[in-house]
Amino acid sequence: MDDDVRNIVLGVVATAISGGFGWFARTYLWRRALRRKQAFFGLPNGSDCLFVVNRQMGGTDSSLHRNDAFALLEISSLIKDCGANVQIVTHDAARQGFGERAEFCVGGPVSNARTTAHLMSMLPGVRVDLSTESGPDRGSINVGGETYRWQKGTVEYVLLARLTAGPRTRPVFLLSGQTANSNQAAARYLARHHVRLARTYANDSFCVVLKVINSDAYGPDVTELVADVTRAARTPVPADA
């Protein structure tokens, strides 16, 4: 074998080895990222999860706001990426505890009775104004001594929380917004920033307040993190508060 042929053979072998290592590295990193996503969402391959939908305020019990349907689509892509299966149920038909299956619960306590239950049992430090009459505090969220007021078409707030009952239980993701648009904004924020949230909180519980800016112009697209209220939200409010 002369030098030219040997160099060609060695080049082919080196390219094959380099390509093999590159493929292995990419596959390893992809699988590691998938395992972290599955752990964060509590969705191992082939598992089942629950998606609890609310009812449209002012609509029939079975009606679903268009933005809440979009929130379902945002989260469904995450569930599919994890290789899990989803069961969709209405808020008044969800009759189970939490921890056995991962759950995504969408909608504020005005339109979602299961959200009310989750707030009472797992986020007792949160207070939501449930009045139906117009006023500055309608739909406001109070937690940690701060009141987050809804300004129609200008400012909307939503609670995004990951809640667990113990170290080996599946999480509940709560998206409790003042409007259907803010519910979708929380779903989109979760889809876009779940890697950063997982790095920050690992598999622990958390609760953050998100602010949706100028929804009349931007819909659910412009959303910013306002505050981490985990400790305050999980601390019961004194009876005289």
Side-chain angles (χ1 to χ4, degrees):
M1 180 182 296
D2 59 34
D3 290 342
D4 290 339
V5 174
R6 182 166 53 250
N7 289 337
I8 293 173
V9 171
L10 291 175
V12 171
V13 172
T15 300
I17 293 175
S18 177
F21 276 118
W23 174 86
F24 176 81
R26 288 192 298 271
T27 301
Y28 171 78
L29 292 174
W30 175 80
R31 288 180 176 175
R32 185 175 66 172
L34 177 60
R35 287 194 297 269
R36 288 178 175 176
K37 179 187 287 189
Q38 290 174 327
F40 179 72
F41 288 111
L43 296 172
N45 191 53
S47 62
D48 295 319
C49 70
L50 201 64
F51 189 98
V52 182
V53 296
N54 61 344
R55 62 176 174 81
Q56 180 176 347
M57 288 186 293
T60 64
D61 287 342
S62 60
S63 64
L64 181 66
H65 194 282
R66 181 181 65 176
N67 290 93
D68 290 325
F70 289 154
L72 170 58
L73 293 177
E74 299 270 5
I75 293 173
S76 293
S77 64
L78 296 173
I79 297 170
K80 182 179 179 181
D81 289 345
C82 292
N85 307 304
V86 60
Q87 177 187 357
I88 302 172
V89 297
T90 57
H91 70 105
D92 52 355
R95 296 288 189 271
Q96 68 171 46
F98 52 86
E100 293 185 5
R101 291 192 292 176
E103 177 184 334
F104 298 87
C105 186
V106 175
V110 172
S111 60
N112 191 323
R114 192 160 176 86
T115 294
T116 302
H118 288 330
L119 291 176
M120 291 178 61
S121 60
M122 294 187 282
L123 296 175
V126 175
R127 292 290 182 269
V128 178
D129 187 281
L130 304 180
S131 60
T132 57
E133 297 182 0
S134 298
D137 288 326
R138 181 186 178 189
S140 63
I141 300 170
N142 187 286
V143 57
E146 295 289 337
T147 300
Y148 302 94
R149 292 180 175 86
W150 168 36
Q151 300 174 34
K152 186 175 181 180
T154 304
V155 175
E156 301 168 12
Y157 293 97
V158 54
L159 290 176
L160 172 61
R162 181 187 190 274
L163 308 168
T164 61
R168 287 182 291 275
T169 59
R170 303 285 172 82
V172 172
F173 286 88
L174 183 64
L175 295 76
S176 176
Q178 295 171 327
T179 64
N181 180 75
S182 59
N183 294 335
Q184 184 188 356
R188 184 165 295 181
Y189 186 93
L190 180 62
R192 290 178 175 176
H193 301 286
H194 64 85
V195 173
R196 181 166 60 83
L197 290 170
R199 288 174 180 169
T200 302
Y201 300 103
N203 294 328
D204 295 331
S205 296
F206 68 81
C207 180
V208 298
V209 177
L210 304 177
K211 180 181 181 181
V212 186
I213 301 171
N214 201 352
S215 59
D216 274 355
Y218 305 128
D221 285 340
V222 183
T223 304
E224 64 181 31
L225 176 64
V226 175
D228 181 332
V229 294
T230 304
R231 178 173 295 181
R234 301 184 69 184
T235 303
V237 177
D240 58 348

